[in-house]
């Protein structure tokens, strides 16, 4: 088993977003989101984190919010290759509370094709929340298969596979405090 430092050296190309850049952007996003709801006199929202990728972003974001926030989680997994075109996702764990009449904010780690978030929005909208907004830490606009953008987005990035700050490669690297680019040789 290679050492942790050696694994990083082998798999990772470089840092795309530093911890300081992330902290500062997440603070600004929390301010923007709080203001957005305050301006509509909405004092209470339900935040739904999409597991597992969004857990770190969500934890940082909600701690800066100036609103009453309740927190729930949903866990999804994409179906195999065939189903990714349809965008169907399998719900591994549903939210714990009903959403009708609530102001819901979905928190994602990254929007790639857009299919996961599109499916989730349709599914959650059917539960008749008072409002439904989306927030993603990252977005790769060049990869979209459908037209969809988050209402609140942290950073738009190029088409590179990234890890850290909740995002994984084969379950690894979620706990890195920065966003790193994976070497193409690692996932090809
Ligand atoms: P979409 O349905 O294609 O938008 O897929 C979004 C999901 O794909 C994200 O929630 C991630 O789990 C995963 N994903 C897409 N790009 C990356 C990446 O660069 N690093 C890690 N996970 C990614
Ligand atoms: Mg994900």
């Amino acid at each position: 088993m290679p050492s942790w430092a050696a694994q990083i050296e082998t798999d990772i190309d470089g840092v795309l977003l530093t911890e300081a850049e992330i902290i500062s952007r997440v603070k600004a996003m929390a301010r923007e989101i709080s203001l957005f709801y305050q301006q509509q006199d909405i004092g209470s929202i339900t935040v739904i984190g999409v597991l597992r990728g969004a857990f770190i972003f969500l934890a940082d974001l909600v701690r800066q919010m100036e609103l009453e926030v309740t927190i729930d989680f949903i866990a999804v997994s994409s179906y195999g290759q065939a189903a990714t075109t349809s965008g169907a996702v399998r719900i591994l764990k549903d939210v714990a509370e009903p959403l009708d009449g609530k102001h819901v904010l979905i928190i994602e780690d990254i929007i790639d094709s857009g299919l996961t978030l599109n499916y989730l929005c349709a599914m959650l909208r059917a539960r008749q929340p008072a409002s439904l907004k989306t927030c993603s830490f990252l977005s790769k606009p060049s990869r979209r298969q459908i037209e969809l953008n988050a209402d609140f987005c942290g950073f738009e990035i190029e088409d590179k596979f990234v890890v850290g700050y909740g995002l994984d490669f084969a379950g690894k690297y979620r706990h890195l405090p920065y966003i790193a680019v994976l070497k193409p040789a690692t996932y090809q």
Side-chain angles (χ1 to χ4, degrees):
M1 192 70 188
S3 73
W4 174 239
Q7 285 187 58
I8 296 256
E9 183 69 34
T10 306
D11 288 350
I12 282 165
D13 235 348
V15 174
L16 183 67
L17 300 166
T18 65
E19 190 172 2
E21 285 171 325
I22 293 171
I23 289 170
S24 141
R25 180 69 188 124
V26 172
K27 264 191 190 163
M29 290 179 82
R31 226 177 293 125
E32 185 190 347
I33 292 167
S34 301
L35 205 64
F36 171 83
Y37 287 107
Q38 285 162 2
Q39 282 171 345
Q40 299 169 75
D41 274 327
I42 297 168
S44 172
I45 67 167
T46 297
V47 157
I48 299 179
V50 183
L51 294 173
R52 286 172 262 175
F55 82 108
I56 291 179
F57 173 49
L58 181 148
D60 282 349
L61 190 71
V62 295
R63 280 181 288 178
Q64 303 288 331
M65 281 192 186
E66 300 194 358
L67 297 165
E68 185 183 285
V69 175
T70 58
I71 297 164
D72 211 331
F73 291 98
I74 195 163
V76 300
S77 99
S78 313
Y79 280 116
Q81 272 311 98
T84 46
T85 44
S86 72
V89 300
R90 195 154 53 102
I91 304 300
L92 302 177
K93 179 222 167 297
D94 205 341
V95 293
E97 304 291 336
L99 300 177
D100 56 292
K102 308 245 175 86
H103 293 281
V104 172
L105 178 65
I106 304 176
I107 311 284
E108 256 285 28
D109 53 356
I110 186 165
I111 309 178
D112 188 47
S113 68
L115 296 172
T116 304
L117 193 56
N118 185 53
Y119 181 91
L120 270 181
C121 284
M123 191 192 102
L124 297 180
R125 208 171 275 123
R127 300 181 187 181
Q128 301 183 313
S131 70
L132 183 66
K133 294 288 169 190
T134 56
C135 172
S136 184
F137 177 60
L138 299 176
S139 172
K140 292 182 195 169
S142 66
R143 297 260 309 165
R144 284 301 187 284
Q145 289 181 33
I146 46 160
E147 211 183 300
L148 176 145
N149 283 304
D151 296 298
F152 306 97
C153 178
F155 298 93
E156 291 196 341
I157 63 168
E158 283 174 50
D159 181 12
K160 288 183 177 151
F161 199 89
V162 293
V163 293
Y165 201 64
L167 291 98
D168 73 307
F169 166 67
K172 295 191 295 182
Y173 298 123
R174 288 192 199 278
H175 59 106
L176 296 178
Y178 49 84
I179 290 286
V181 177
L182 207 66
K183 284 186 184 159
T186 306
Y187 59 88
Q188 273 160 8

